[in-house]
Amino acid sequence: MKRYIVPGVRTPFVKAGAEFVSLNSIELSIPVMQAMANRSLPDFVAWGQVIPSANVSNIAREAWLEAKLDPTVPGVSSVLACSTSMMAVIQASGMLGFGGSHLALVGGAESMSHVPIALKPEVAQQVAGLAMKDPQAALVMVNDLNAGHFNLPIKGWANRLSGRSMGEHTEDTAKFFDIARVDQDKIAFESHQNAIAAQNAGFFDDLIIPLGDISQDTIPRADSTLEKLNSLSPVFDRSESGTLTAGNSSPLTDGAAAIWVADETGLERLGIEQQNAIEIVDWRLGAMDYQEEGILMAPARAIPQLLSAHGLTLDDIAVWEIHEAFAAQVLANIQGITDSSYLRDKAGVTSDLGAFPIDRLNQTGGSLAIGHPFGATGARVLSQAAKQLLERTSGSYAVVSVCADGGQGSVMLLRKPE
Protein backbone atom coordinates (compact mmCIF):
# COMPACT_ATOMS: atom_id res chain seq x y z
CA MET A 1 0.00 0.00 0.00
CA LYS A 2 1.37 3.40 -0.99
CA ARG A 3 1.43 6.35 1.38
CA TYR A 4 1.23 9.98 0.31
CA ILE A 5 1.69 13.45 1.74
CA VAL A 6 -0.37 16.46 0.78
CA PRO A 7 0.80 19.99 1.70
CA GLY A 8 -0.93 21.38 4.76
CA VAL A 9 -1.10 24.83 6.32
CA ARG A 10 0.84 26.60 9.02
CA THR A 11 0.97 29.80 10.97
CA PRO A 12 3.41 32.47 9.95
CA PHE A 13 6.75 31.88 11.65
CA VAL A 14 7.92 34.79 13.82
CA LYS A 15 10.86 35.36 16.15
CA ALA A 16 10.37 34.33 19.75
CA GLY A 17 9.45 37.23 22.00
CA ALA A 18 7.75 39.09 19.16
CA GLU A 19 4.24 39.01 17.68
CA PHE A 20 3.21 35.62 19.14
CA VAL A 21 4.74 36.18 22.58
CA SER A 22 1.36 35.74 24.30
CA LEU A 23 0.59 32.38 22.61
CA ASN A 24 1.66 28.99 23.92
CA SER A 25 2.15 25.88 21.78
CA ILE A 26 -1.46 24.74 22.13
CA GLU A 27 -2.76 28.19 21.18
CA LEU A 28 -0.50 28.19 18.11
CA SER A 29 -1.74 24.71 17.17
CA ILE A 30 -5.48 25.42 17.43
CA PRO A 31 -5.99 27.57 14.28
CA VAL A 32 -3.86 25.21 12.19
CA MET A 33 -5.82 22.14 13.34
CA GLN A 34 -9.11 23.94 12.74
CA ALA A 35 -8.11 24.97 9.22
CA MET A 36 -7.05 21.42 8.39
CA ALA A 37 -10.18 19.84 9.92
CA ASN A 38 -12.37 22.21 7.90
CA ARG A 39 -11.13 20.40 4.81
CA SER A 40 -11.59 16.84 6.07
CA LEU A 41 -11.94 15.00 9.36
CA PRO A 42 -8.85 12.81 9.93
CA ASP A 43 -8.89 9.33 11.39
CA PHE A 44 -6.27 10.42 13.92
CA VAL A 45 -3.97 13.31 14.78
CA ALA A 46 -0.19 12.97 15.27
CA TRP A 47 1.32 16.15 16.71
CA GLY A 48 4.57 17.13 18.36
CA GLN A 49 6.17 19.62 20.71
CA VAL A 50 9.84 19.54 21.75
CA ILE A 51 10.06 21.94 24.67
CA PRO A 52 7.75 20.31 27.22
CA SER A 53 5.05 22.23 29.02
CA ALA A 54 4.62 21.18 32.62
CA ASN A 55 0.84 20.95 32.30
CA VAL A 56 0.65 19.30 28.84
CA SER A 57 1.06 15.54 28.63
CA ASN A 58 -0.36 14.91 25.12
CA ILE A 59 -0.38 18.04 22.98
CA ALA A 60 -2.05 16.24 20.07
CA ARG A 61 -5.13 15.41 22.10
CA GLU A 62 -5.21 18.53 24.24
CA ALA A 63 -4.86 20.99 21.36
CA TRP A 64 -7.50 19.09 19.36
CA LEU A 65 -9.99 19.27 22.21
CA GLU A 66 -9.22 22.92 22.94
CA ALA A 67 -9.88 23.60 19.26
CA LYS A 68 -13.46 22.29 19.86
CA LEU A 69 -13.01 19.59 17.21
CA ASP A 70 -14.60 16.13 17.07
CA PRO A 71 -13.70 14.40 20.35
CA THR A 72 -13.97 10.95 18.75
CA VAL A 73 -10.77 11.58 16.77
CA PRO A 74 -7.78 10.22 18.74
CA GLY A 75 -4.53 12.10 19.10
CA VAL A 76 -0.99 10.82 19.67
CA SER A 77 2.11 12.89 20.35
CA SER A 78 5.59 12.47 18.87
CA VAL A 79 8.99 13.89 19.72
CA LEU A 80 12.40 13.66 18.03
CA ALA A 81 13.99 17.04 18.66
CA CYS A 82 14.05 19.11 15.45
CA SER A 83 12.82 16.09 13.46
CA THR A 84 9.65 15.84 15.57
CA SER A 85 6.94 16.47 12.99
CA MET A 86 8.82 14.52 10.31
CA MET A 87 8.97 11.63 12.78
CA ALA A 88 5.21 12.07 13.26
CA VAL A 89 4.77 11.72 9.48
CA ILE A 90 6.82 8.51 9.49
CA GLN A 91 4.83 7.12 12.40
CA ALA A 92 1.50 8.12 10.87
CA SER A 93 2.37 6.51 7.53
CA GLY A 94 2.99 3.23 9.34
CA MET A 95 -0.38 3.45 11.09
CA LEU A 96 -2.41 3.89 7.91
CA GLY A 97 -4.20 0.80 6.68
CA PHE A 98 -4.65 -0.53 10.20
CA GLY A 99 -7.61 0.00 12.50
CA GLY A 100 -9.63 1.59 9.72
CA SER A 101 -7.22 4.54 9.40
CA HIS A 102 -6.67 6.12 6.00
CA LEU A 103 -6.06 9.81 6.68
CA ALA A 104 -3.88 11.46 9.33
CA LEU A 105 -3.49 15.10 10.30
CA VAL A 106 0.16 15.48 11.27
CA GLY A 107 2.27 18.34 12.51
CA GLY A 108 3.63 20.16 15.50
CA ALA A 109 4.17 23.47 17.22
CA GLU A 110 6.67 25.31 19.34
CA SER A 111 6.33 28.45 21.40
CA MET A 112 9.90 29.36 22.11
CA SER A 113 8.55 32.47 23.82
CA HIS A 114 7.06 30.21 26.51
CA VAL A 115 9.97 28.34 28.04
CA PRO A 116 9.23 26.47 31.27
CA ILE A 117 11.77 27.34 33.95
CA ALA A 118 12.45 24.22 35.99
CA LEU A 119 13.66 23.81 39.53
CA LYS A 120 16.85 21.83 39.96
CA PRO A 121 15.93 18.17 40.57
CA GLU A 122 17.00 18.10 44.19
CA VAL A 123 15.07 21.30 44.96
CA ALA A 124 11.97 20.10 43.11
CA GLN A 125 12.09 16.86 45.08
CA GLN A 126 12.21 18.75 48.38
CA VAL A 127 9.34 21.06 47.42
CA ALA A 128 7.17 18.22 46.11
CA GLY A 129 7.86 16.01 49.09
CA LEU A 130 7.09 18.80 51.51
CA ALA A 131 3.89 19.76 49.63
CA MET A 132 2.45 16.29 50.18
CA LYS A 133 2.99 16.52 53.94
CA ASP A 134 2.69 20.24 54.71
CA PRO A 135 1.46 22.48 51.85
CA GLN A 136 1.91 25.62 53.93
CA ALA A 137 5.54 24.76 54.66
CA ALA A 138 6.08 24.12 50.94
CA LEU A 139 4.79 27.63 50.16
CA VAL A 140 7.23 29.08 52.67
CA MET A 141 10.05 27.17 51.01
CA VAL A 142 9.02 28.41 47.55
CA ASN A 143 9.07 32.00 48.83
CA ASP A 144 12.69 31.51 49.87
CA LEU A 145 13.88 30.23 46.48
CA ASN A 146 16.48 32.18 44.51
CA ALA A 147 18.03 31.97 41.04
CA GLY A 148 20.48 29.31 42.18
CA HIS A 149 17.60 26.89 42.74
CA PHE A 150 16.55 26.97 39.07
CA ASN A 151 17.84 25.36 35.88
CA LEU A 152 17.90 28.49 33.75
CA PRO A 153 18.26 28.02 29.94
CA ILE A 154 21.47 30.05 29.86
CA LYS A 155 22.74 27.99 26.90
CA GLY A 156 19.34 27.65 25.27
CA TRP A 157 18.47 24.02 24.62
CA ALA A 158 21.75 22.35 25.43
CA ASN A 159 22.26 18.63 25.01
CA ARG A 160 21.68 17.06 28.42
CA LEU A 161 24.63 14.67 28.26
CA SER A 162 27.24 17.07 26.93
CA GLY A 163 25.91 20.23 28.56
CA ARG A 164 26.71 22.06 25.33
CA SER A 165 24.38 23.91 22.98
CA MET A 166 23.73 22.94 19.37
CA GLY A 167 25.73 25.98 18.30
CA GLU A 168 28.73 24.95 20.36
CA HIS A 169 28.60 21.46 18.89
CA THR A 170 28.27 22.88 15.37
CA GLU A 171 31.34 25.04 15.90
CA ASP A 172 33.14 21.71 16.33
CA THR A 173 31.62 20.57 13.02
CA ALA A 174 32.70 23.74 11.23
CA LYS A 175 36.26 23.25 12.42
CA PHE A 176 36.30 19.50 11.69
CA PHE A 177 35.19 20.05 8.07
CA ASP A 178 36.99 23.41 7.68
CA ILE A 179 33.77 25.21 6.75
CA ALA A 180 34.67 28.81 5.94
CA ARG A 181 32.72 31.69 7.47
CA VAL A 182 32.20 33.27 4.05
CA ASP A 183 30.53 30.09 2.75
CA GLN A 184 28.24 29.94 5.78
CA ASP A 185 27.16 33.53 5.25
CA LYS A 186 26.51 32.82 1.57
CA ILE A 187 24.10 29.99 2.49
CA ALA A 188 22.31 32.32 4.91
CA PHE A 189 22.10 35.11 2.33
CA GLU A 190 20.67 32.77 -0.31
CA SER A 191 18.14 31.41 2.19
CA HIS A 192 16.77 34.93 2.75
CA GLN A 193 16.84 35.74 -0.96
CA ASN A 194 14.97 32.54 -1.83
CA ALA A 195 12.39 33.03 0.93
CA ILE A 196 11.68 36.62 -0.13
CA ALA A 197 11.40 35.61 -3.80
CA ALA A 198 8.97 32.83 -2.85
CA GLN A 199 6.91 35.24 -0.74
CA ASN A 200 6.73 37.75 -3.60
CA ALA A 201 5.74 35.01 -6.06
CA GLY A 202 2.85 33.90 -3.83
CA PHE A 203 4.37 30.47 -3.14
CA PHE A 204 3.30 30.55 0.51
CA ASP A 205 -0.20 31.94 -0.05
CA ASP A 206 -1.94 28.58 0.32
CA LEU A 207 0.53 27.24 2.89
CA ILE A 208 0.16 29.98 5.52
CA ILE A 209 -2.98 30.99 7.38
CA PRO A 210 -3.09 34.43 9.04
CA LEU A 211 -2.84 34.57 12.81
CA GLY A 212 -4.01 37.85 14.26
CA ASP A 213 -2.57 40.64 12.14
CA ILE A 214 0.30 38.50 10.85
CA SER A 215 -0.21 36.91 7.45
CA GLN A 216 3.32 35.95 6.41
CA ASP A 217 6.66 34.97 7.89
CA THR A 218 8.32 37.96 9.51
CA ILE A 219 11.91 36.70 9.73
CA PRO A 220 13.02 36.71 6.04
CA ARG A 221 14.91 39.93 5.31
CA ALA A 222 14.75 41.55 1.90
CA ASP A 223 17.57 43.86 2.97
CA SER A 224 19.96 41.07 3.93
CA THR A 225 23.37 41.42 2.30
CA LEU A 226 26.60 39.47 2.45
CA GLU A 227 28.29 42.55 3.87
CA LYS A 228 25.83 42.74 6.78
CA LEU A 229 26.17 39.03 7.46
CA ASN A 230 29.96 39.24 7.32
CA SER A 231 29.94 42.03 9.91
CA LEU A 232 28.27 39.95 12.65
CA SER A 233 30.34 38.59 15.52
CA PRO A 234 30.46 34.88 16.43
CA VAL A 235 28.06 33.95 19.24
CA PHE A 236 29.09 30.42 20.28
CA ASP A 237 32.86 30.54 19.99
CA ARG A 238 33.87 34.17 20.54
CA SER A 239 37.53 33.53 19.78
CA GLU A 240 39.14 34.31 16.45
CA SER A 241 38.33 30.79 15.26
CA GLY A 242 34.56 31.10 15.82
CA THR A 243 32.40 31.26 12.66
CA LEU A 244 28.77 30.79 13.77
CA THR A 245 26.83 34.04 14.12
CA ALA A 246 23.22 35.06 14.67
CA GLY A 247 23.02 35.50 10.90
CA ASN A 248 24.12 32.02 9.84
CA SER A 249 22.27 30.25 12.69
CA SER A 250 18.52 29.66 12.76
CA PRO A 251 16.63 32.02 15.10
CA LEU A 252 14.44 31.10 18.07
CA THR A 253 10.98 30.94 16.54
CA ASP A 254 7.27 30.58 17.37
CA GLY A 255 4.91 28.74 15.03
CA ALA A 256 2.83 25.67 14.17
CA ALA A 257 2.59 23.61 10.98
CA ALA A 258 0.55 20.68 9.65
CA ILE A 259 0.55 18.25 6.73
CA TRP A 260 -1.70 15.43 5.52
CA VAL A 261 -0.58 11.80 5.40
CA ALA A 262 -2.90 9.51 3.45
CA ASP A 263 -3.33 6.26 1.57
CA GLU A 264 -5.41 6.10 -1.61
CA THR A 265 -8.69 6.05 0.35
CA GLY A 266 -7.53 9.04 2.36
CA LEU A 267 -6.73 10.95 -0.83
CA GLU A 268 -10.27 10.32 -2.06
CA ARG A 269 -11.61 11.88 1.14
CA LEU A 270 -9.45 14.94 0.48
CA GLY A 271 -10.75 15.05 -3.09
CA ILE A 272 -7.24 14.64 -4.48
CA GLU A 273 -6.11 12.36 -7.29
CA GLN A 274 -2.90 10.40 -6.82
CA GLN A 275 -0.99 12.44 -9.40
CA ASN A 276 -1.72 15.55 -7.33
CA ALA A 277 -0.24 14.08 -4.16
CA ILE A 278 3.35 13.16 -3.33
CA GLU A 279 4.33 9.56 -2.67
CA ILE A 280 6.48 8.63 0.32
CA VAL A 281 8.98 6.31 -1.34
CA ASP A 282 11.18 5.53 1.66
CA TRP A 283 12.78 7.04 4.75
CA ARG A 284 15.78 6.60 6.99
CA LEU A 285 16.54 7.50 10.59
CA GLY A 286 20.22 8.22 11.16
CA ALA A 287 22.11 7.99 14.43
CA MET A 288 25.77 8.39 15.31
CA ASP A 289 28.22 9.10 18.10
CA TYR A 290 27.99 12.87 18.17
CA GLN A 291 31.49 13.15 19.60
CA GLU A 292 32.92 12.16 16.20
CA GLU A 293 32.40 15.30 14.11
CA GLY A 294 29.43 17.09 15.62
CA ILE A 295 25.93 16.51 16.86
CA LEU A 296 23.99 17.30 13.65
CA MET A 297 25.76 15.03 11.16
CA ALA A 298 23.52 11.93 11.13
CA PRO A 299 21.87 12.93 7.80
CA ALA A 300 25.26 12.56 6.11
CA ARG A 301 24.94 8.85 6.88
CA ALA A 302 21.20 8.51 6.21
CA ILE A 303 21.04 10.38 2.87
CA PRO A 304 23.63 8.19 1.07
CA GLN A 305 22.10 5.02 2.50
CA LEU A 306 18.65 6.06 1.26
CA LEU A 307 19.82 7.03 -2.23
CA SER A 308 22.00 3.96 -2.60
CA ALA A 309 19.12 1.67 -1.64
CA HIS A 310 17.16 3.05 -4.61
CA GLY A 311 20.02 3.32 -7.10
CA LEU A 312 19.86 7.11 -7.18
CA THR A 313 22.57 9.77 -7.39
CA LEU A 314 22.53 13.27 -5.94
CA ASP A 315 21.76 14.67 -9.39
CA ASP A 316 18.65 12.46 -9.71
CA ILE A 317 16.94 14.56 -7.03
CA ALA A 318 15.00 17.53 -8.38
CA VAL A 319 14.19 19.14 -5.00
CA TRP A 320 16.58 19.24 -2.07
CA GLU A 321 15.22 20.44 1.27
CA ILE A 322 17.88 20.32 3.98
CA HIS A 323 16.87 21.88 7.29
CA GLU A 324 19.13 24.82 8.06
CA ALA A 325 19.72 24.62 11.79
CA PHE A 326 23.06 26.25 10.97
CA ALA A 327 24.66 27.04 7.64
CA ALA A 328 27.77 25.17 8.79
CA GLN A 329 25.76 22.00 9.44
CA VAL A 330 24.22 22.15 5.94
CA LEU A 331 27.61 22.56 4.28
CA ALA A 332 29.21 19.86 6.42
CA ASN A 333 26.51 17.34 5.55
CA ILE A 334 26.89 18.16 1.86
CA GLN A 335 30.66 17.76 2.16
CA GLY A 336 30.17 14.37 3.80
CA ILE A 337 27.80 12.96 1.18
CA THR A 338 30.09 14.00 -1.66
CA ASP A 339 33.31 12.56 -0.18
CA SER A 340 34.06 8.95 -1.16
CA SER A 341 36.04 8.19 1.99
CA TYR A 342 33.31 9.58 4.22
CA LEU A 343 30.64 7.64 2.32
CA ARG A 344 32.57 4.41 2.71
CA ASP A 345 33.68 4.83 6.31
CA LYS A 346 30.67 6.59 7.84
CA ALA A 347 27.68 5.62 5.69
CA GLY A 348 28.88 2.25 4.44
CA VAL A 349 28.16 3.30 0.85
CA THR A 350 30.69 2.44 -1.84
CA SER A 351 28.91 3.84 -4.91
CA ASP A 352 29.76 7.31 -6.20
CA LEU A 353 26.75 9.60 -5.69
CA GLY A 354 28.20 12.40 -7.81
CA ALA A 355 28.32 16.15 -7.22
CA PHE A 356 25.72 17.93 -5.14
CA PRO A 357 23.40 20.22 -7.21
CA ILE A 358 23.64 23.25 -4.93
CA ASP A 359 21.29 25.26 -7.13
CA ARG A 360 18.45 22.91 -6.11
CA LEU A 361 18.94 23.47 -2.38
CA ASN A 362 16.12 25.09 -0.38
CA GLN A 363 14.88 27.00 -3.41
CA THR A 364 11.97 28.62 -1.55
CA GLY A 365 13.96 29.47 1.58
CA GLY A 366 15.15 27.46 4.55
CA SER A 367 15.14 27.66 8.32
CA LEU A 368 17.85 30.34 8.46
CA ALA A 369 15.42 32.77 6.85
CA ILE A 370 12.00 31.33 7.67
CA GLY A 371 12.70 30.28 11.24
CA HIS A 372 12.79 27.08 13.25
CA PRO A 373 10.03 26.31 15.78
CA PHE A 374 11.35 22.88 16.75
CA GLY A 375 8.13 20.85 16.66
CA ALA A 376 6.81 22.49 13.48
CA THR A 377 9.85 22.45 11.19
CA GLY A 378 9.44 18.92 9.79
CA ALA A 379 5.87 19.58 8.62
CA ARG A 380 6.88 22.96 7.21
CA VAL A 381 9.79 21.54 5.23
CA LEU A 382 7.78 18.55 3.94
CA SER A 383 4.89 20.75 2.79
CA GLN A 384 7.32 23.08 1.04
CA ALA A 385 9.07 20.17 -0.67
CA ALA A 386 5.79 18.55 -1.70
CA LYS A 387 4.48 21.76 -3.25
CA GLN A 388 7.70 22.26 -5.20
CA LEU A 389 7.66 18.64 -6.37
CA LEU A 390 4.09 19.00 -7.62
CA GLU A 391 5.40 21.65 -10.00
CA ARG A 392 7.97 19.23 -11.46
CA THR A 393 7.48 16.52 -14.08
CA SER A 394 5.99 13.16 -13.14
CA GLY A 395 8.53 10.78 -11.65
CA SER A 396 10.64 13.57 -10.12
CA TYR A 397 12.19 13.00 -6.70
CA ALA A 398 12.73 15.13 -3.62
CA VAL A 399 14.89 14.51 -0.56
CA VAL A 400 13.97 16.12 2.74
CA SER A 401 16.51 16.01 5.57
CA VAL A 402 16.17 17.21 9.16
CA CYS A 403 19.01 16.88 11.68
CA ALA A 404 18.25 16.40 15.37
CA ASP A 405 19.84 16.73 18.78
CA GLY A 406 21.58 13.66 20.15
CA GLY A 407 23.41 12.82 16.92
CA GLN A 408 20.23 11.81 15.09
CA GLY A 409 18.29 12.83 12.01
CA SER A 410 15.52 11.84 9.64
CA VAL A 411 15.56 11.73 5.85
CA MET A 412 12.67 11.08 3.46
CA LEU A 413 12.62 10.25 -0.25
CA LEU A 414 9.54 11.62 -2.04
CA ARG A 415 8.31 11.15 -5.60
CA LYS A 416 5.71 12.76 -7.83
CA PRO A 417 3.61 9.87 -9.21
CA GLU A 418 3.63 9.05 -12.90
Side-chain angles (χ1 to χ4, degrees):
M1 182 181 73
K2 293 182 178 180
R3 275 81 169 178
Y4 303 86
I5 58 172
V6 175
V9 298
R10 63 177 175 89
T11 68
F13 285 3
V14 307
K15 280 190 176 181
E19 292 87 348
F20 296 164
V21 67
S22 64
L23 302 176
N24 60 37
S25 292
I26 285 182
E27 291 166 331
L28 290 168
S29 301
I30 286 172
V32 175
M33 287 183 171
Q34 290 172 334
M36 296 286 281
N38 283 340
R39 180 170 182 180
S40 182
L41 191 69
D43 294 313
F44 64 91
V45 177
W47 207 255
Q49 172 188 19
V50 178
I51 306 170
S53 299
N55 62 343
V56 177
S57 62
N58 181 0
I59 189 174
R61 181 63 172 167
E62 293 170 60
W64 183 262
L65 292 179
E66 286 202 33
K68 309 300 182 187
L69 295 166
D70 189 339
T72 66
V73 175
V76 296
S77 292
S78 298
V79 62
L80 180 57
C82 303
S83 294
T84 286
S85 47
M86 181 187 274
M87 187 67 239
V89 168
I90 293 169
Q91 291 170 322
S93 68
M95 295 168 69
L96 296 181
F98 296 94
S101 295
H102 302 283
L103 180 64
L105 192 166
V106 182
E110 212 71 61
S111 174
M112 300 179 82
S113 296
H114 287 254
V115 183
I117 304 298
L119 289 171
K120 291 181 177 177
E122 62 275 13
V123 179
Q125 184 177 357
Q126 292 177 29
V127 173
L130 191 57
M132 293 182 214
K133 300 174 184 177
D134 189 345
Q136 190 60 39
L139 288 174
V140 172
M141 183 177 179
V142 168
N143 285 331
D144 292 335
L145 294 177
N146 58 50
H149 294 115
F150 292 87
N151 278 323
L152 300 175
I154 296 171
K155 286 190 176 182
W157 289 268
N159 178 269
R160 188 182 69 84
L161 295 177
S162 71
R164 305 175 70 214
S165 70
M166 298 300 101
E168 289 173 316
H169 277 288
T170 305
E171 278 284 11
D172 291 346
T173 299
K175 294 175 176 65
F176 185 93
F177 287 94
D178 195 23
I179 306 296
R181 164 72 183 272
V182 64
D183 294 330
Q184 296 177 48
D185 289 345
K186 186 171 185 291
I187 288 288
F189 174 69
E190 290 173 350
S191 186
H192 282 274
Q193 291 289 102
N194 290 343
I196 291 295
Q199 277 186 348
N200 293 341
F203 177 84
F204 297 108
D205 289 356
D206 59 351
L207 297 178
I208 297 177
I209 57 171
L211 186 54
D213 296 329
I214 309 301
S215 59
Q216 66 179 13
D217 300 321
T218 62
I219 300 172
R221 297 182 63 94
D223 62 349
S224 177
T225 65
L226 283 171
E227 289 73 23
K228 289 180 180 179
L229 289 165
N230 293 161
S231 71
L232 298 176
S233 299
V235 292
F236 299 106
D237 176 357
R238 299 179 185 275
S239 72
E240 292 184 359
S241 62
T243 58
L244 272 68
T245 71
N248 57 41
S249 307
S250 60
L252 303 181
T253 312
D254 295 338
I259 192 168
W260 294 108
V261 183
D263 61 14
E264 293 177 8
T265 300
L267 290 181
E268 290 176 5
R269 284 165 48 185
L270 289 173
I272 292 179
E273 297 180 352
Q274 291 178 45
Q275 62 266 32
N276 294 321
I278 296 301
E279 181 187 350
I280 299 174
V281 178
D282 201 357
W283 53 267
R284 286 288 187 282
L285 295 182
M288 55 171 284
D289 181 351
Y290 62 76
Q291 298 179 74
E292 292 182 40
E293 70 257 12
I295 206 163
L296 302 178
M297 288 300 297
R301 281 116 163 116
I303 290 172
Q305 292 165 359
L306 185 59
L307 294 181
S308 179
H310 292 271
L312 298 170
T313 68
L314 299 172
D315 191 53
D316 289 327
I317 308 304
V319 175
W320 280 94
E321 284 289 331
I322 299 179
H323 162 51
E324 300 167 346
F326 304 92
Q329 149 261 320
V330 174
L331 290 168
N333 275 271
I334 290 173
Q335 187 171 320
I337 64 178
T338 53
D339 180 84
S340 59
S341 296
Y342 191 96
L343 289 176
R344 181 187 65 247
D345 298 339
K346 303 295 186 180
V349 172
T350 56
S351 56
D352 181 9
L353 299 181
F356 186 83
I358 195 71
D359 59 314
R360 303 176 199 168
L361 174 67
N362 300 344
Q363 293 173 300
T364 54
S367 299
L368 290 171
I370 294 172
H372 176 33
F374 296 156
T377 288
R380 189 274 297 172
V381 176
L382 283 166
S383 283
Q384 239 167 278
K387 183 171 181 179
Q388 292 175 76
L389 200 54
L390 286 170
E391 298 170 352
R392 303 302 197 275
T393 58
S394 297
S396 295
Y397 289 98
V399 165
V400 179
S401 169
V402 183
C403 54
D405 183 19
Q408 300 194 100
S410 56
V411 178
M412 191 169 287
L413 178 64
L414 307 174
R415 180 175 176 270
K416 182 178 181 180
E418 298 284 355

